[in-house]
Amino acid sequence: MAETSTDRLTSTNVEGKNIGSVITHCIFDMDGLLLNTEQIYYEVTSEIFARFGKTYSLELRSRSLGLRQHESAVLLINETGINMTADELRKERHEKNLKRFPFAKPMPGAMRLVTHLKKHRIPIAVATSSSRESFNIKASNNRVLFDLFDNIICGDDANVKNGKPAPDIFLAAREGIGNPPTNQCLVFEDSIIGIKAAKNANMNVIWVPDPMIAELYPGKNGADEMIFSLNDFDPTKFGLPPFDEESDSV
């Protein structure tokens, strides 16, 4: 019989740092973490910028990661000065993105890790700044992955009043998986603003950045651990069950 999360409530250490209690619940960002959709956002935005002779720089891209779409559009307009309103940019990006989202694929290690946690009855949730409409399209050809989750929270859900770095989305995700103590939750994020949101929720967080963004912002940027792929995650560091041969074959 698989061990349950309540069987494992003892303190643990990450790189010598005590995190207070063993992790019992996990929460995942989606874009760039579970799915390769950040590449779609990058390609679409770059195409729009090219019409105005602008480049979607790595620095600007890093600052827009994790924002809701309107907030991202406002940032991009303010920083580039392209001749569009934020609403026009958001609308065009949204329409172009929707055509490409059905082709989104899982990121390396995503299926393996999520399947492993599900097998061991660790409650798991998705907390994405994407709208519910966008999520449904992104998930349409990835149901095998997303049907494993116990709760899905989107950026336009009624109980998410404020976007990242506010903690709202992670607290809403936590509520949907049993309201555990926040320090028993582990968040997986690819953005720095997402790290801040997780920490504002008093949760532990793993940063899984694009290597180029990690080079732009050295260090862990407030995360408890940094890895470059979900395949690199060691569950035992956080008191979670170790991967087995069956997990390795996913």
Side-chain angles (χ1 to χ4, degrees):
M1 182 175 179
E3 181 185 46
T4 66
S5 59
T6 54
D7 296 328
R8 301 176 292 103
L9 294 180
T10 56
S11 63
T12 191
N13 291 276
V14 179
E15 299 178 355
K17 174 186 174 184
N18 191 289
I19 63 169
S21 62
V22 161
I23 295 303
T24 60
H25 296 65
C26 293
I27 302 173
F28 292 78
D29 177 48
M30 181 175 66
D31 295 311
L33 191 282
L34 292 174
L35 295 180
N36 66 347
T37 38
E38 284 296 351
Q39 182 62 29
I40 294 174
Y41 283 116
Y42 172 72
E43 291 170 357
V44 166
T45 305
S46 294
E47 290 171 7
I48 295 171
F49 279 15
R51 294 207 311 263
F52 299 94
K54 300 289 185 179
T55 300
Y56 190 24
S57 69
L58 181 63
E59 190 272 339
L60 189 53
R61 178 185 172 196
S62 70
R63 291 168 57 195
S64 68
L65 289 180
L67 295 177
R68 293 188 281 196
Q69 286 306 299
H70 180 74
E71 295 166 341
S72 174
V74 170
L75 171 68
L76 297 178
I77 292 292
N78 289 341
E79 291 296 318
T80 64
I82 62 174
N83 188 26
M84 299 180 78
T85 66
D87 283 342
E88 288 170 341
L89 176 58
R90 182 201 59 76
K91 184 175 184 293
E92 183 172 347
R93 290 175 87 202
H94 181 66
E95 291 173 350
K96 292 179 182 295
N97 286 333
L98 291 185
K99 294 177 181 178
R100 304 188 191 194
F101 284 158
F103 302 100
K105 303 294 184 183
M107 294 289 285
M111 182 62 73
R112 173 182 180 243
L113 176 55
V114 173
T115 301
H116 173 74
L117 295 174
K118 188 69 173 182
K119 172 186 174 182
H120 289 279
R121 296 189 291 173
I122 306 299
I124 48 178
V126 171
T128 174
S129 296
S130 292
S131 67
R132 183 67 58 172
E133 177 191 20
S134 292
F135 168 78
N136 287 336
I137 295 174
K138 294 170 185 176
S140 61
N141 290 325
N142 293 284
R143 294 309 331 173
V144 174
L145 172 61
F146 289 103
D147 285 349
L148 295 171
F149 286 92
D150 303 298
N151 190 32
I152 307 288
I153 294 294
C154 295
D156 59 351
D157 288 355
N159 52 351
V160 182
K161 302 297 184 185
N162 303 290
K164 301 172 185 177
D168 300 32
I169 198 164
F170 292 126
L171 295 176
R174 162 182 170 259
E175 183 176 354
I177 51 175
N179 265 330
T182 54
N183 68 347
Q184 289 173 206
C185 296
L186 180 62
V187 172
F188 293 84
E189 261 287 354
D190 71 313
S191 69
I192 292 176
I193 197 171
I195 295 172
K196 293 176 181 177
K199 285 303 179 182
N200 286 336
N202 193 36
M203 297 179 181
N204 305 284
V205 58
I206 302 288
W207 188 30
V208 193
D210 180 310
M212 292 188 297
I213 291 177
E215 188 174 342
L216 192 63
Y217 298 97
K220 293 187 291 185
N221 289 281
D224 295 283
E225 185 174 42
M226 180 178 71
I227 56 178
F228 288 109
S229 167
L230 291 176
N231 275 323
D232 298 332
F233 178 64
D234 179 358
T236 63
K237 285 187 176 182
F238 291 85
L240 293 166
F243 286 118
D244 51 31
E245 291 183 6
E246 184 177 340
S247 298
D248 287 337
S249 66
V250 173

